[in-house]
Amino acid sequence: MMTAKLTKLPVWHEGERFIQEKLGVAERMASVGQRVIRDYMPDQHREFYAQLPFIVLGSVDDAGAPWATFLEGRSGFITSPDATTLEIDARADPTDPAAPGLQQGKPIGLLGIEMHTRRRNRMNGLVGEAEHGFRIDVDQSFGNCPRYIQLRDFSYARDPATSCAGDVETLTALEPSACAMIAAADSFFVASYADRDDRRQVDVSHRGGKAGFVRVAEDGTLTIPDFDGNLFFNTLGNILLNGRAGLLFVDYATGDLLQMTGTAEVIFDSPEIAAFQGAERLWTFRARTIIRRRGALALRWDMQQEPWSPSSLMTGDWDEAANRLHAAELSTRWRPLKVTKIVDESSSIRSFHLLPDDGAGLLPHQAGQHLPIRVSLPGEEKPLIRHYTLSAAPSDGIYRISVKREGAVSRHLHETVRVGDVIEARAPAGDFTIDARETRPAVLLAGGVGITPMLAMLRHVVYEGVRKQRVRPAYLFHSARAKAERPFGPELATLVETSFSAVKVVRVLSDPTDAEEGADYEAVGRIDMALLTRFLPFNDYDFYLCDPPAFTQALYDGLRSMNVADARIHAEAFGPSSLIRVPDVSAPVQAPVRPASTKPVPVAFMASAKEARWTPASGTLLDLAEARGLSPEFSCREGTCGTCKTKLLRGAVTHIRQPGVSLTDDEVLICSAVPAEQQSADEDRIQLEL
């Protein structure tokens, strides 16, 4: 039998390339595409298709509407006489809306998926004639990753060669039972297509996640998160080009099929993307035609004992996303957090697990940020504000602060706070964070309780790396005085074990008494340049430094003396311990700091309806506010924690200390800000939202 040989087109079309370029992976995917997208089927794909009991197909009807469907049979109903041809001994039921697109000469998309093993392969081509059923002549053939597939075993409820006499319904809208089917689904299939130079290419793909990952709005719009995948973007690239898609939902227990065709749109920018755990993008679908075929399949599927894909379990759900968006609305307020768990991590460090107690969700943080908390101590006139670094990753679903017992507030937490108590907190803050997507190896250097942001960073790097199947290489150096004072030993060991060998930990003790080398520590002494050169292979690194001040400054100076760029050294420091940096010679010249005013300046505190006159002798705007009888919130008074961040409504200010947190153009840290020298008429007074 002769098969048509199609002309070979560039691997990616403009829709796929647009998204790849948007993510900065176009060059890499150009090489990957040449390697893995073929115009023939490898032998292992041909053998795989031949053992399947069903195949997923995507077709396009005469009106240009895409449809997804199943064809089923006994194992062996699909054969491959040669590397460019598949023969399928089955035909679509006349009631199947995908059937008109399965005629000779029509373009078709194909997905072979084995749910009990998570294997899947994809192909697109043209429909041809065969003695029984029809054949497909290959255009593009490629493997597909197994992520987001739940494990299911199949069986037959009837002979697949026997047509089903179940009801076929055309729905005018998604009625309640159809909505319930979609809302309970942990997977569905989507058909799409692109019209290229000399032909149409059709694709059909699997989408999976936690049950309920597809949201159904009151108007019938479906919203679907797009998770990390193989970066091909066949489906979303097609949708970008023509805005059409066909969706297929399967009731695996009854064999019912819900088939829809309609319009789709890709969403690259939305607060919901950040709120939905694991979402990289969103896309929406609005059905134009809906067909439900009761009992259409002879096949049935049952969940295996441990069915859930680890990748699916690493994603969120729409309830969680809604709670996070609600939490974002409360980000400037003090919120009650309930202590759900207390863990002694070492002889001096205790962890407090915290969850919201106000009905709103947990606002996601960045690994390395700190949590501002407010506590009332006996004998204190006003609550005290402190900042404790979060030792949990954003994916952990909790806030966790790990506190060393060394001051009045930390003693209160250690001695007084119990499970069930409530602590007030504001939104996490801070710029000492890590990018888990970066490929440059990270070196985390922590002394004592400075391990807390590093632990959060490591947890984030490993979690995101496992989720994306590429862990950023990281080295953690942690020094402690003695074994009993070092926290998180088992937790760090687990991170190393699950990191695919990408994470290495070097434990340093200054007093190794009662400790065994190799089992309890790798080095004796302190973290310095000699130790780093001993354990770090030659490479280009990003360095992260935290606590105590002398430790941080000494390491910074040592790294700079070894020609490590200032931009490669990230440090966390509070208050007077702020790091003294040496800028890179090639660093952009910073704009000169505006001089402070040498004349009196009227200042209005708008929320308090109070005014004052600032003079150079008044000190900072925080000092002025306190002198006027106000009690603005603050903590460090050094411009590093961000607690006193305030909106500037009018005028111009300058900071007498370099802010340690990011500020927008209309934000100031009043603990470090003073009126700036006037440069225009509208700078003759200061107005603060205070």
Side-chain angles (χ1 to χ4, degrees), residues 557-580:
D557 294 340
L559 292 170
R560 293 295 279 131
S561 71
M562 299 288 287
N563 295 320
V564 176
D566 175 65
R568 291 276 185 267
I569 306 173
H570 313 271
E572 174 74 298
F574 286 116
S577 64
S578 296
L579 193 66
I580 301 173

Side-chain angles (χ1 to χ4, degrees), residues 432 444-446 450-458 476 544-546:
F432 184 58
L444 315 180
L445 308 175
I451 184 65
T452 53
M454 307 306 189
L455 180 62
M457 290 179 180
L458 270 189
L476 170 66
Y544 295 80
L545 286 56
C546 186

